[in-house]
Amino acid sequence: MIRRRVVLAGAAAAALSGCSPDVLGLSRSVRVAVSWSGPELRAFHRVLDGLGKLDYPVEVIPLGDDISTAFGERSARRPDLVMLPQPGLVPPRRGDLEAMPSDLADRGRARLWDELLTHDGTTYGLPFKTAHKSAVWYRPSVFREAQVQPPTQWDEWLELNKALSLRGIRPLALGAGDGWVLTDFLENVLLGTAPSAYRALAVSDDPRPSRVPEFAAALRRLATMWAMPGALAGGVERSLTQQFPDAVVEVFGHRRAAMVTASDFAEPVIRSFAADPDDVGLFTFPAFGPGAAAPVVVGGDVMVLQRPATDDAWDLLHRLATPAAPAPWIASGGFLVDGRTTGYSPELTRLADQLAAPGTSLQFDLSDRLGELGGIDGLWRVLTDLLVRVGTRGPDVVPEAVESALDELGTVEG
Amino acid sequence: MGLRSNGLSLEIAGRPVSGRPVTGRPQRPAGPYLLGIPALLLTSLLLVPIVITVVAAFRLPDGSFGFSNFAVMGDPAALHAVRNSVAWVAVAIALVVVGFLLAVVSYRLPGLSSFLQPALVIPFAVSVLVSGATFRLIFDSAPERGTVTAVWSSLFGTSPVWLGPGLFWLVLVSAFGWTWLGYVVSLFRAGLDAIPDDVSRTIAAEGLTGLRRWRALELPLLRPITGVITLTLVVAAVRVFDLVLIVVPGPMQHDADVLGLNWWRATTTGDDSGRTAALGVVLFAIVAAVAVIGVRGLRRRRWAMPVSVVPADSTLRRPKPSKRVRRIGWTAGFAVSLFWILPAVVLVATALHSPREAGLRGWWSLDGLGLSSFDAAASIGLLRSLLSTVLISSVATVVLLVVAVPTAYLVAWGGLPTSLGRVVTSVFVVLAVTPVQMYAAPLRDAIDAAGLTGSRIALGLVHAAAGLPFAVLLLRSAFASAPPMLVAEALQGPARQSAVLATVQRTYRPAVIAVAVLEFVLVWNDFIVGFLISGAGTTPLSLVLWGEARQFSASSGTVAAAAVVASVVPAVLMLTFWRTVVRGLTIGSRP
């Protein structure tokens, strides 16, 4: 059956586009740069398919972690529309971006986004996808077996890890192959322990985290958790080769670990690889002391249009901005819309509620706001090196490793 | 002065000679020069951007000229990348040595090659991205998925993390070696087979054996072939770029950085263009230095001895080896072939699992067999990109043939003055090894300015230009190896040019087919040229593969399916034409 479908699709595609201008590359297609791949990329293709008949071809360019290359030199070859996972890149690039028209601009002015996307009353981007980056997925059966509960405080989490370790269960699978997994972890600790320091760094014109004592304290807490012997499934080296879906598979597919920190968008990966679909649980990052608010780090992809945009690119932006556009992706899971709390799976509904709830300590992803400093050559690398230095080696190595990390960060800050 | 004999008298009148003697000049008609014009136009697609890059490398921000852009080499990251690139060149040269030894073994053990040939050809046909993806599958760190990890941990309890720090080099070099070893062995083997038996006998009669025999016979006779092989491998080694992107997990990519990658990141993060140009020049200098040493043989106008028209008397051929030697060769060949074909088996078997099973378990698992991974690959635009790739490859191949054949004829037999011929050949040798980084940036700007952004036709032209130098060198040596009698007769006849071209068609078909097949396959498998010059959107097939491989293990089923689909056409082409390709690649280097 499948073979036939593939063949038929191939024949249809050949007939439709055999000599059409877009295969020749002559007609001007709308080029959309995205950082997604795998199931997310396929879901986005479904979103595009759901937009109805378009008068122009759409070319999706997956750039992964190198998405900032979408803003190369100014030339016609640049992607028209960029689904930017690092809205922190918007302020420095404003000069190259189209201003959003008034009928759309309101969405860019929603809370959290306006700081990044709006300048002097003009909006330069629209949120497409929101991400809850403080989620921890776990296997309830393991927790039951070890007679433990999901933690509500950071210290409980450390105790929980110890309890699981004692029973021979590796507590954490860490997808350190994706740098953002590590920065998200750190951001949650920093936001939970020192929200005002977090905020100050996020809005600073010249952020120098290496000189912020609260930042150093957060690094120490984080390093202490990673340093616990037996904390990481597969040890440091395996963690370094694992991307976040691999870590998910370690927990839910091969059942070699109990928990994985992964955002809401891990949901479809969990669903497709879980050995037991009913053995999936979720908690969010615990608070860091009695009375303290639990941290909620928010990320997302914003749509920006590179200037000058063609009419076709504007048309695509308008279509993608309609509330119904992401429906196919929402249906396949792992997609949150800013401000919307219904229509998701039970787990994602919980996350959406937390995003919408008043009084939570909600902040936009710090590394995404730090620009280059938060990226591959900056914080990602610093945290990777920290992980290598402390991973499962016990608390004694932590102070020195944190010092080295701060030095390294200082060098990147220049 | 007079001469008288038998009643006949002859008188010879002398005349004083004035002025100094003048040597005769052969007549050089201008007609053949016209043959070079298309090549000149196409090559300018490379030459002009290269000049612009070189100028940019020496131009300082204030407009003056100097060396300070090269201070970029003081940057530890760039220095690290240079070291890695040099290491890659060393890997390439080591591979040439290993390939040569294997070829000698297979020459001494006939029977080996009949099995080995297809097993060695398939890796050469698939793209770097595909072989990188395959080796990443094989070395995956989860024992449920990775073949090597599974075998190792069942033997020794635990397994090192093959893709982890330090060890990822093993994976990279394995993938590179798997791709290229077949090419090296096949070419050396063809060269060894072409050594005339009477020469071998003479050497043997003189009592030269072992290493002395190699030094006296095989090494000098194989020098031209060694030149071709070294040239291709060094270019490939310096082009290593997509291999690192697809094999090395994110946190180790810094360690694995090569100059090409470093350059790419620098241009895309808006580094100063003078500094990136300087990086390109350094990269080029490394390759050029190695290539010039490696291909000295190519500059000689003639490598060839006359091709014997009459087959040698079979009683005078190499004596047939004993039955035992043949049996050993047969068994060894079979075993090595199985081992060598294994990565391809892994790839196809992974593709035949559902995305879920491929992400959970290795290729040997019996669960989830089916074609759903192909279905998933089709849903991300694989078929449309197949069509684009067919178009680009065809345009590039046709343009290349139309331009390269007359040019090669001109260089070989067109009567260019010796010095000009030497210059032209040297220029082509240099262009053949020029890394794409040397011309990518200016070419990209020019294509943008011409409003041809995203045009597949423009990309096809660029590919043809990039392939031209190697094609001309190859065809030239094939032409130069023509039986001189044939050429001399053709040159004296009334319709001489067309007659010579007719002999081209008859005698040099293998070289032409080799150029066509190689160009089509190289363009089909290309990632770097299209990616750097036309941006991400125009490198269709490899880009789909790359995009899918960003979350590697979870997508391994789809990655493998896309890789299989992408490899069918080049693999079939190569398997069909391999004998001709090898003949074409070595025809000019008959000793």
Side-chain angles (χ1 to χ4, degrees), chain B residues 156-283:
Chain B
F156 305 105
T158 56
S159 168
V161 181
W162 299 106
L163 285 164
L167 285 174
F168 65 79
W169 285 110
L170 176 78
V171 186
L172 283 176
V173 172
S174 309
F176 187 81
W178 187 65
T179 304
W180 285 102
L181 199 61
Y183 172 84
V184 180
V185 173
S186 302
L187 259 63
F188 272 127
R189 181 62 208 273
L192 287 170
D193 285 343
I195 293 177
D197 292 328
D198 44 352
V199 177
S200 315
R201 280 171 205 283
T202 315
I203 292 277
E206 284 174 11
L208 286 181
T209 50
L211 278 178
R212 286 173 59 216
R213 181 191 144 105
W214 274 16
R215 285 222 342 245
L217 176 72
E218 275 132 9
L219 289 184
L221 285 180
L222 289 178
R223 217 170 77 179
I225 270 195
T226 317
V228 174
I229 296 173
T230 317
L231 184 73
T232 354
L233 259 81
V234 166
V235 173
V238 175
R239 277 194 174 189
V240 166
F241 174 90
D242 30 3
L243 188 63
V244 175
L245 280 180
I246 202 160
V247 167
V248 182
M252 274 82 72
Q253 288 214 347
H254 265 280
D255 289 344
D257 205 12
V258 287
L259 210 37
L261 259 177
N262 196 282
W263 178 92
W264 174 60
R265 293 238 159 84
T267 50
T268 48
T269 50
D271 253 26
D272 174 48
S273 63
R275 288 163 69 90
T276 52
L279 272 177
V281 170
V282 170
L283 183 61

Side-chain angles (χ1 to χ4, degrees), chain A residues 4-5 7 32 73 80 126 140 150 172 188 195 213 344 349 354 414:
Chain A
R4 217 174 120 208
R5 237 169 46 228
V7 171
V32 186
E73 297 144 56
D80 304 275
L126 302 177
L172 271 177
N188 276 294
Y344 309 116
T349 307
Q354 198 185 22

Side-chain angles (χ1 to χ4, degrees), chain A residues 173-182 226 236 238-244 247 380 383-384 387, chain B residues 249-251:
Chain A
L174 195 60
D178 289 318
W180 52 263
V181 170
L182 303 183
W226 288 347
V236 174
R238 271 289 289 285
S239 303
L240 289 177
T241 64
Q242 261 172 195
Q243 292 177 289
F244 93 89
W380 290 20
L383 289 179
T384 307
L387 174 68

